Amino acid sequence: MGWLLDEEFAFGEPYGSTGEFLGDLADSAAHQGTCTDTTVEAVPFLMELVCDDNIAPGSRLVLLGDLLRLAASGPAAAVSLADRITALGGAWEETAAEYLTRWAIGSELPRLLSRWEDESDAVRFALAALTALCGTRDRRALSGLAALPAPAGSPRADAVSLVAALLSNDREGLVPALDRLASWSPRVAEKAASPNVTEPR
């Protein structure tokens, strides 16, 4: 925090908006999405910000998005590097920092989920997605997800279906949910079509 607010770091200019500060905060925790030992240490601090009642709902959502990116760094690397690793004859292995970052986030989730009833729909969706990503089994998130507005046939509905399948460990529902997501996201379709990406676990 001291480094981020230091006048020399900010070239003598104060932050013009909360968004600018949160952007630098996320970059300092995980530069370009890469988890390190520093990232693991930053998780409790980020969690305190998310749980602070003085944080605006929009800023809370931004922070949860940052936590989602951190928790997904290992699995995302497994997919994005699958072709390269296979071509080089290697085997992907999640780094200790990536694993420990996701574990640290998951260990704090019960505290975040205890706030479920007080959060906006957008924050609830982010909490449900984070719960699914960290492999946490929470009935409140699953039942609450079903109550979120998601018009049938919309990209939002497809994303909700994917999170619901992950939360309920529904392997049969996972594949069609991914197929629907791939239908409107060319990048997802391209990655999913790689012969080196294993079937979702």
Side-chain angles (χ1 to χ4, degrees):
M1 284 294 292
W3 178 66
L4 285 172
L5 296 174
D6 183 85
E7 288 187 1
E8 290 187 12
F9 173 77
F11 302 104
E13 297 293 330
Y15 283 100
S17 68
T18 301
E20 288 178 15
F21 174 75
L22 291 177
D24 279 348
L25 178 64
D27 287 344
S28 68
H31 182 59
Q32 295 182 342
T34 302
C35 291
T36 65
D37 292 343
T38 302
T39 310
V40 180
E41 295 170 359
V43 168
F45 174 71
L46 294 173
M47 287 293 185
E48 286 300 327
L49 283 177
V50 173
C51 292
D52 192 320
D53 290 332
N54 293 316
I55 296 292
S59 296
R60 180 174 288 112
L61 186 60
V62 169
L63 289 164
L64 285 170
D66 291 335
L67 289 170
L68 271 166
R69 281 189 289 274
L70 295 178
S73 59
V79 175
S80 64
L81 297 176
D83 290 338
R84 180 176 184 272
I85 291 171
T86 300
L88 295 174
W92 176 80
E93 187 173 332
E94 187 174 36
T95 68
E98 290 167 340
Y99 170 80
L100 290 172
T101 296
R102 191 169 60 257
W103 181 87
I105 293 170
S107 68
E108 295 276 2
L109 274 174
R111 185 157 64 119
L112 294 182
L113 290 167
S114 70
R115 304 169 54 93
W116 182 275
E117 298 301 329
D118 301 322
E119 300 292 3
S120 66
D121 286 342
V123 169
R124 288 176 184 174
F125 175 75
L127 284 174
L130 196 56
T131 302
L133 182 57
C134 291
T136 304
R137 297 288 172 249
D138 187 274
R139 302 304 302 177
R140 175 176 33 201
L142 182 58
S143 60
L145 186 66
L148 296 182
S154 68
R156 181 185 295 175
D158 294 339
V160 167
S161 294
L162 175 62
V163 173
L166 291 169
L167 282 172
S168 59
N169 199 26
D170 176 13
R171 290 180 61 84
E172 290 185 3
L174 190 58
V175 173
L178 284 170
D179 287 343
R180 288 195 300 274
L181 281 173
S183 70
W184 55 264
S185 179
R187 189 167 184 273
V188 171
E190 180 184 352
K191 291 295 182 184
S194 169
N196 300 312
V197 176
T198 58
E199 184 178 331
R201 288 177 285 184

